[in-house]
Amino acid sequence: MKLIRKLLWLIFLILIALALIGVGYYFAVTKDAVLSPEKLALSDKTFTLYDSDGARIKNTALTFTQSVRISDVPEETQIAFIGVEDKHFYSHGGFDVKRIAKAAINNLRSHSFKEGASTISQQLIKNTHLSQEKTFSRKLREWKLTRALERAYTKDEILEKYLNVIYFGHNCFGLQSAARFYFDKAPNELDLADSAILAGLVRSPNNYSPFKNAEKCLKRKESVLRLLFKNGAITKNQMQEALEKPLPLSPNKSTRDFGYLHFVFDELSSLSEKNGFTVSGKVEIDTYLDRTVQKQLELVAGDYAESDKTLTVLDNQTRGFKACVSSVGEIQRLTGSLLKPLLVYAPALEENFISPATPLLDEKIDYAGYSPNNFDGKFHGYVSARECLAKSLNVPAVKLLNILGIEKGANYLEKLGLSVEKDDLSLAIALGGMKNGYTFRDLIAAYATFPNGGTFAECGFISSVRIDGKTVYEHSLKPQRVFSEETAYLTTDMLCTAAQTGTAKKLRSLPFQIAAKTGTAGTANGNTDAYALSYTTRDTVGVWLGNATGGFIEHTGGGLPCNFLLQVNEQLNKLYPSPIENFSEPKNVKRVTLDKLSYYDTHTLLLADNLAPEEYTFQELFKKSAIPLKTSDFFSNPTIDPPALQYENGNVVITFDDRLSKLYRFKIERYDYATHSTLYVGEYIQKFTDENVDKNKNYVYSVTPIYQDKQGKAIILPTVSTKEGERPWTSDKEILEKDWWDY
């Protein structure tokens, strides 16, 4: 018994010691944790933004001077936020013990830490007083400050301060700016439906914005309302009425500013969720903004207001957006033909299905009722892949995707950061036919893969984020290879043709090498979206015209958007101190000379004969591994189809109707049983007449094609008889077409 008492006493002393150590540790790590009333309100000093040169940007996108008083917040709004974030707010002392215990049990069961239990008081402290680190000492400081907050302020005051510092996305900090931006209302005008949307936004503004993800926003709104009904905070009728109210379609025009900083703060929301940091404390943001380029972009965009617009300039090296002008922000739109290089041509080149020279048959097609037409309503026969892409022909693109495979093409889009829904997996996607489309930002990022040698990396407006002096995010390229260098270069070279003679030919006056693609989306009733996109070795530039509401526009991609594109590139060229470099040809790409005759006659790719005249050849680029193996011999081994042979009015007539015959000189010889005569040696003639034939003889003629000093194989023509009573041969072709016993 004495031994047991000693052990118990020892355990007691150890526990006392541990408790003293814990108390000492608590006071040590929280001694500097002091509640600061100034930090409980945001100010202009909270955020500092810098351009690409490190100069501070005047923050015109944010205003912190307006705040809301709790007396001006409708009861429905207070109920919504408390119901979603902290339903025991008015009954706990800063910590919801029951909720903490429940979250701990659920996390243990799921072997994760997904479920949190922070109260509104804790969230206010975390957002205004604490660093981003996730440590036990930080949690202790949070507890101390939360207790101090609860002692210093009433519940209504805490809720008021909380509502004034929450980030709602789209540059909106605090309920006042959010109510105005999303609904064009003052806070006291918000109803239950509005409040459910705003309360649902807090957890993930980037995912639940009605202007970015309407479907997700609608589901989130519904879940918030059903939670409030379940907890008895609202009646069934109130819930039903709020559920039936539609989402807002567009931001308040008087408050929306979709300039460069709008995209910065939109990206900040996304980055905070992906990288696990909270937008709070002293925030410093380094951006890729080039003020000079931004000014020029704004001048080019000017006062154009016929439709919405977005113009962007991306630096290919950093994958950072130098400048951006927009009237709509980041929205998803259908792409039209802008998808063709990404989905069809580059993948087909990568898989060695085509080369730029591959002839594709542009003809009427029908795939189970899907029968696309070209923009001009015509079919053009065999056209090279280069010209098909440059002129943005629709039928060859659809046929090529069918050969490549829809899923294989879609896999390349996925690698380029462009997700494809199952419902979109059809041949129509070759022409941009899909449900939702993509953001212009994502399309620009995908195209930047080509000038970067086939490697894809995420693009952005923010280069780094520091909170309270600690870097919480840094833009790291982490390039992923999607296409080989050879494929990227060949695609680029084909798009350079589009900028010279194709749909983007307005750019051909530029004094540097540029690749470009245009696109137009719409319906039978009119166009809804018009794109023009280009890239050089330095920048990727994009222009989009359309309407956020989906209304029709008069423009096509090759029209006004291409004019804007030309002006932007002209200005960029003036800003550079040195000329823009040409695209660098990879070592495994080779320019070869092809035979033009076989290309147009039989639509096959043959290397040109060494003796071929220049006018019968053309040059094209190939991967070295895909260069044609066979060589034409039209000139080194002259060959023609047998000419026609006729005997009439006592003369023998030889007629050449083979197009190739015009390429050669000829030697015509005649044989009978006793003599051999050379009748003609000279240039091509359509008809040769032998007037010196005797009666009652059989003659055999031979024709030998000649090119320079190369003689082809002599063609022996059928025997001609001049004997009376015998039917003379009329032509070799007639012999082949009729039965021999008729003669």
Side-chain angles (χ1 to χ4, degrees), residues 8 82 93 174 188 422 499 539 545 565 581 624 627 675:
L8 291 174
I82 292 172
N188 62 358
K422 288 185 178 180
D539 303 299
L545 299 181
L565 197 62
E581 305 84 359
K624 286 185 177 180
I627 293 175
T675 63

Side-chain angles (χ1 to χ4, degrees), residues 628-662:
L629 300 177
K630 293 184 178 181
T631 302
S632 167
D633 61 355
F634 286 132
F635 297 95
S636 58
N637 183 26
T639 304
I640 62 168
D641 292 337
L645 182 66
Q646 290 179 310
Y647 176 61
E648 54 187 22
N649 301 323
N651 298 322
V652 174
V653 180
I654 299 174
T655 304
F656 297 88
D657 61 356
D658 181 12
R659 189 171 66 87
L660 293 179
S661 301
K662 298 178 182 180

Side-chain angles (χ1 to χ4, degrees), residues 556-629:
T556 62
L560 184 59
C562 214
N563 281 333
F564 282 146
L565 197 62
L566 173 63
Q567 294 176 56
V568 174
N569 279 287
E570 286 176 337
Q571 295 305 316
L572 288 171
N573 188 42
K574 291 177 182 178
L575 294 175
Y576 285 123
S578 60
I580 295 174
E581 305 84 359
N582 286 344
F583 297 103
S584 179
E585 185 175 298
K587 62 181 181 180
N588 287 323
V589 167
K590 184 178 180 180
R591 186 176 296 275
V592 301
T593 304
L594 299 174
D595 178 69
K596 189 180 290 186
L597 294 170
S598 59
Y599 188 80
Y600 287 106
D601 283 353
T602 62
H603 314 296
T604 55
L605 298 179
L606 296 178
L607 297 176
D609 192 321
N610 290 333
L611 296 178
E614 185 176 344
E615 62 266 28
Y616 295 106
T617 67
F618 69 100
Q619 291 190 328
E620 188 52 278
L621 295 171
F622 286 86
K623 297 179 185 178
K624 286 185 177 180
S625 61
I627 293 175
L629 300 177

Side-chain angles (χ1 to χ4, degrees), residues 410-418 456 480-482:
N411 286 338
Y412 278 98
L413 287 185
E414 295 280 355
K415 293 177 183 178
L416 292 168
L418 302 172
F456 170 78
Q480 302 292 320
R481 181 157 297 285
V482 179

Side-chain angles (χ1 to χ4, degrees), residues 75-210:
E75 183 180 356
E76 292 91 342
T77 305
Q78 297 183 45
I79 288 173
F81 279 92
I82 292 172
V84 171
E85 296 297 321
D86 187 2
K87 67 179 181 179
H88 299 129
F89 174 69
Y90 282 102
S91 60
H92 62 62
F95 306 97
D96 191 337
V97 178
K98 291 182 179 179
R99 190 177 172 197
I100 292 173
K102 183 179 179 180
I105 293 171
N106 291 337
N107 288 334
L108 285 172
R109 287 175 178 173
S110 62
H111 303 288
S112 67
F113 294 96
K114 292 182 179 180
E115 188 170 330
S118 295
T119 62
I120 285 177
S121 301
Q122 288 175 278
Q123 291 181 48
L124 178 59
I125 289 298
K126 285 191 290 186
N127 289 343
T128 59
H129 280 69
L130 300 176
S131 66
Q132 299 294 311
E133 60 181 350
K134 296 181 179 181
T135 61
F136 183 65
S137 60
R138 177 186 181 278
K139 198 66 179 176
L140 291 177
R141 290 194 290 274
E142 177 190 316
W143 289 346
K144 179 181 178 181
L145 291 170
T146 300
R147 290 175 58 207
L149 177 72
E150 288 278 342
R151 289 194 299 267
Y153 298 98
T154 66
K155 289 289 187 179
D156 283 349
E157 288 173 330
I158 293 173
L159 181 60
E160 178 183 285
K161 294 180 182 299
Y162 170 76
L163 292 175
N164 280 315
V165 300
I166 307 174
Y167 183 50
F168 290 91
H170 295 292
N171 307 359
C172 299
F173 286 84
L175 188 64
Q176 181 89 311
S177 60
R180 185 63 62 190
F181 180 84
Y182 286 99
F183 307 107
D184 193 18
K185 293 180 178 180
N188 62 358
E189 297 173 318
L190 295 172
D191 58 27
L192 179 59
D194 303 332
S195 303
I197 292 173
L198 293 177
L201 273 172
V202 174
R203 186 168 299 177
S204 180
N206 188 58
N207 282 323
Y208 299 130
S209 165

